Amino acid sequence: MKISWLNNVQAPYREPMFRELARLVDFEASFFFSEEKVRHWKWRADPGYRSSVVPAWRLPVPAKLARRLDNEVGILRPGVASSVVRGADALVTQVWWQPAHLAAMMHCRRRGIPYLLYAESTVDSRSVGGGPADRLRTWVFRNAGAVIVPGPAAAEAAILNGTPAQRVVESVNSVDVDLYGEGVRKLREPGSDRGPHRFAYVGQLIERKNVHSLIRAFATIGGNPTLEIAGDGVDQDYLRQIAVECAVTDRVRFLGFLEEPAVLRLLARNHTLVLPSTEEVYGFTALEAHVAG
């Protein structure tokens, strides 16, 4: 069996899954951007699975819409959709509204190749109501060979979007309990629960994550606490300026994007993780912190 996977960029956290798929089937991942501009991920070849960056154009969108989407919008160049799914028994994709994904899904429909969607959104997190966008979403979900969801709330949304119930495959939200549980506890130093309170944030530095409110709220707390901010994004300079305005630069540290081992150390040395987002599909970081204690 050959499985093709199409996504915008090569996300480091998906690579263990890609390697496992490549061990089991003929697997190939295609990405239509070589770099993620918010988190600065760059494509590079991995010996554990086949991957490539396929030709695509970036579609400019208004700044206000771009902040809501979180992802850049891409359009596959002519003929690319055909090359991505050539010889595949199934295509795996994620973003129903992304033009590059839509081109590949439509090509699959014409060739009789099933496409599989991964969908996390719940009914409560839906940001598109009626109109043409809703009809497009219904078409994508109704015609998917399967929709993989991380829990019952996302399954309900997928069915509401038009997916027949028998095509919804429900998985679970999970983290590596050993890594984020015992792993973090082993890194935690004796007596680390004492001293001034230590707060942490892990995530993108974009408007929806609401880190500006976190910094301003942090500045009002007495007792000389600290705040470590792990992540990268377009709002980084703006957030640094807020820290200056609030006179907390001596107690707020910007760490940039951290790989997983560094995130474990961050959780081990801090007391409280704050997730101040105005909107989240799930909030996986909060679950990791909960497992870490």
Side-chain angles (χ1 to χ4, degrees), residues 176-247:
D176 188 328
V177 175
D178 291 335
L179 189 64
Y180 281 89
E182 292 305 313
V184 171
R185 285 169 175 79
K186 289 177 181 177
L187 291 170
R188 194 166 285 137
E189 297 180 358
S192 62
D193 56 329
R194 296 190 291 271
H197 202 88
R198 297 186 292 278
F199 295 93
Y201 166 82
V202 180
Q204 299 177 67
L205 304 185
I206 58 177
E207 184 179 19
R208 177 173 60 81
K209 297 293 186 175
N210 198 30
V211 182
H212 57 283
S213 294
L214 168 60
I215 295 172
R216 290 192 172 102
F218 171 80
T220 68
I221 300 174
N224 206 36
T226 59
L227 169 62
E228 291 190 287
I229 297 174
D232 202 352
V234 293
D235 280 359
Q236 183 170 164
D237 292 341
Y238 167 62
L239 295 172
R240 288 181 182 275
Q241 184 58 40
I242 290 177
V244 171
E245 293 170 1
C246 293

Side-chain angles (χ1 to χ4, degrees), residues 14 44 55 61 108 128 159 161 169 183 198 207 214 261 267 286 292:
R14 289 199 184 101
R44 75 280 183 283
V61 296
C108 285
V128 174
I159 294 170
N161 289 341
V169 181
R198 297 186 292 278
E207 184 179 19
L214 168 60
L267 295 176

Side-chain angles (χ1 to χ4, degrees), residues 83-236:
S83 65
V84 166
V85 301
R86 183 175 295 124
D89 296 289
L91 170 74
V92 182
T93 185
Q94 287 185 267
V95 186
W96 65 266
W97 53 263
Q98 178 72 261
H101 292 227
L102 286 167
M105 288 186 280
M106 290 176 180
H107 183 83
C108 285
R109 286 287 296 166
R110 290 194 296 269
R111 297 295 186 272
I113 302 169
Y115 65 84
L116 285 66
L117 277 173
Y118 181 74
E120 299 173 295
S121 295
T122 67
V123 175
D124 290 337
S125 70
R126 290 175 63 165
S127 57
V128 174
D134 183 60
R135 290 193 290 274
L136 175 62
R137 176 174 57 194
T138 299
W139 182 91
V140 169
F141 276 80
R142 184 179 63 241
N143 290 294
V147 176
I148 301 96
V149 297
E156 177 190 4
I159 294 170
L160 184 65
N161 289 341
T163 309
Q166 66 271 22
R167 294 190 206 158
V168 177
V169 181
E170 187 176 321
S171 182
V172 294
N173 279 309
S174 61
V175 299
D176 188 328
V177 175
D178 291 335
L179 189 64
Y180 281 89
E182 292 305 313
V184 171
R185 285 169 175 79
K186 289 177 181 177
L187 291 170
R188 194 166 285 137
E189 297 180 358
S192 62
D193 56 329
R194 296 190 291 271
H197 202 88
R198 297 186 292 278
F199 295 93
Y201 166 82
V202 180
Q204 299 177 67
L205 304 185
I206 58 177
E207 184 179 19
R208 177 173 60 81
K209 297 293 186 175
N210 198 30
V211 182
H212 57 283
S213 294
L214 168 60
I215 295 172
R216 290 192 172 102
F218 171 80
T220 68
I221 300 174
N224 206 36
T226 59
L227 169 62
E228 291 190 287
I229 297 174
D232 202 352
V234 293
D235 280 359
Q236 183 170 164

